[in-house]
Amino acid sequence: MTTTDPTPLEQSEARPGPIQVMRRIVATPAVGPFIALVLTMAFFSFKSDRFLQGQNLSLVLQQVMVVGVLAIGQTLVILTAGIDLSVGTVMAFGQIVMTKLAVANGVDPLLALLLGILACVGFGFLNGALVTGVRLPAFIVTLGTLNIAFALTHIVSNDLTFAPLPSVLGYFGRTFTISHTDITYGVVLMLVLFAVTWFALNQTAWGRHVYAVGDNPEAARLTGIKTNRVLLSVYTVAGLTYGIAAMLLVARTGIGDPNAGQTTENLDSITAVVLGGTSLFGGRGTVIGTLIGAVIVGVFRNGLTLIGVEVIYQYLVTGILVILAVSVDQLVHRRRL
């Protein structure tokens, strides 16, 4: 049996050319959001001299860090073709558990943080158990747990605000300085969580299973993937991220407020995921795109504030962006069918 080496022509055809490389780059889900972010920042830098200042960009990241961590969990859920409407209220419940235990009940602050995070994990596990065990749609399940978490937050807190907080609870709200710019430890934690999630989704079997279940759950089941176990783990990990977001919220605000995080955070987390290029149909997207999407939301809010646009119009612009992003996702999904 003889073998022949590939000819130079065959070798050149096997290597991707510049056009093919460019097409692959453009097809990457995070590229579109990144271009949108660059254009948005260019626009606001032209409209306001303050926008590109280090302190202002640091402020944007501080404003993004809570929603960004929430959006990590939301990304995992949406990758499996689900959706979680309870993110904000679960986070609110977690931060009330933390602050009430530490302030009103005299519990050790570190233990209070842990118990608050575990409360959020419990909600995530409940969501996953209902989706996999009872086979209810994620929309219905999380709509129900949204109301449960909302009620528990006000019952447990008695509608009281808890302050002052032990210094431990405010650790991630502290800052360090780089080139005369203050960076919050919470922002560093957010970036670390995004990096860990990216690694888990792209470099582990669990991550490949998450994408497979989102793309085609029946095909995934037939290949031996335990789809229910994957879904349960996704919702539980999502609950963990909501607990961490609760910890960051407490560190940023310095109080335990039963009304914090129960309105815009739900929508902003979904907005960040959608703007980041993750498909609502599941199986396609990247957590790096979600980070970019969260920053886009923060940049729009900050930039519009700097140029004097009223808050109500900021919500209007955000709503338009979401509709446009979902419309693009719909068109791409139809082309794939």
Side-chain angles (χ1 to χ4, degrees):
M1 182 177 179
T2 60
T3 59
T4 58
D5 294 329
T7 65
L9 178 60
E10 291 173 334
Q11 290 179 344
S12 63
E13 290 178 347
R15 290 194 298 267
I19 296 178
Q20 291 174 314
V21 171
M22 185 63 66
R23 285 177 178 175
R24 290 180 183 178
I25 294 174
V26 173
T28 304
V31 170
F34 179 74
I35 294 173
L37 175 61
V38 171
L39 293 176
T40 303
M41 293 184 68
F43 172 78
F44 285 120
S45 64
F46 176 76
K47 300 292 289 186
S48 173
D49 295 335
R50 294 172 52 197
F51 179 76
L52 287 181
Q53 293 179 4
Q55 291 293 353
N56 184 63
L57 294 179
S58 175
L59 177 62
V60 170
L61 291 178
Q62 291 177 44
Q63 294 170 337
V64 160
M65 69 181 183
V66 174
V67 171
V69 174
L70 286 175
I72 292 174
Q74 189 73 261
T75 300
L76 296 174
V77 173
I78 291 179
L79 281 174
T80 62
I83 196 165
D84 193 343
L85 302 179
S86 68
V87 292
T89 52
V90 169
M91 177 186 69
F93 178 65
Q95 58 103 16
I96 284 299
V97 171
M98 295 172 184
T99 54
K100 182 176 182 179
L101 288 176
V103 174
N105 300 107
V107 175
D108 180 81
L110 289 176
L111 179 59
L113 285 174
L114 177 61
L115 292 174
I117 292 173
L118 288 177
C120 296
V121 172
F123 265 101
F125 181 84
L126 175 62
N127 286 336
L130 291 173
V131 168
T132 58
V134 188
R135 298 191 180 280
L136 293 175
F139 181 91
I140 300 300
V141 169
T142 58
L143 181 61
T145 52
L146 178 154
N147 286 282
I148 293 172
F150 176 83
L152 287 177
T153 298
H154 290 275
I155 291 170
V156 171
S157 68
N158 290 319
D159 289 325
L160 298 176
T161 299
F162 298 100
L165 302 180
S167 60
V168 172
L169 271 66
Y171 175 79
F172 286 102
R174 300 174 189 173
T175 60
F176 59 95
T177 303
I178 297 179
S179 299
H180 307 291
T181 300
D182 294 331
I183 307 296
T184 307
Y185 286 107
V187 170
V188 176
L189 177 59
M190 177 192 71
L191 296 176
V192 169
L193 290 174
F194 270 101
V196 170
T197 308
W198 176 88
F199 179 84
L201 286 174
N202 292 276
Q203 304 297 323
T204 68
W206 178 80
R208 291 190 291 272
H209 292 170
V210 169
Y211 279 103
V213 170
D215 188 52
N216 191 326
E218 182 60 22
R221 186 187 66 81
L222 292 175
T223 60
I225 297 175
K226 298 183 184 301
T227 56
N228 283 347
R229 185 179 299 178
V230 171
L231 287 173
L232 184 61
S233 68
V234 162
Y235 282 92
T236 303
V237 172
L240 174 62
T241 65
Y242 307 156
I244 296 173
M247 179 179 67
L248 293 179
L249 178 63
V250 169
R252 186 166 189 271
T253 60
I255 60 173
D257 184 359
N259 296 308
Q262 300 204 34
T263 53
T264 59
E265 276 73 6
N266 283 334
L267 298 178
D268 282 354
S269 68
I270 299 173
T271 301
V273 177
V274 172
L275 291 179
T278 297
S279 174
L280 291 173
F281 298 97
R284 184 172 61 87
T286 171
V287 73
I288 300 302
T290 295
L291 173 59
I292 297 172
V295 175
I296 289 174
V297 174
V299 164
F300 261 100
R301 296 267 171 85
N302 178 269
L304 292 174
T305 299
L306 288 178
I307 64 178
V309 177
E310 295 181 21
V311 173
I312 192 65
Y313 291 104
Q314 297 177 22
Y315 288 107
L316 175 64
V317 171
T318 303
I320 293 172
L321 288 174
V322 172
I323 293 174
L324 290 174
V326 173
S327 299
V328 171
D329 180 40
Q330 180 75 18
L331 292 173
V332 172
H333 180 71
R334 287 177 179 175
R335 288 185 176 182
R336 294 179 65 194
L337 294 178

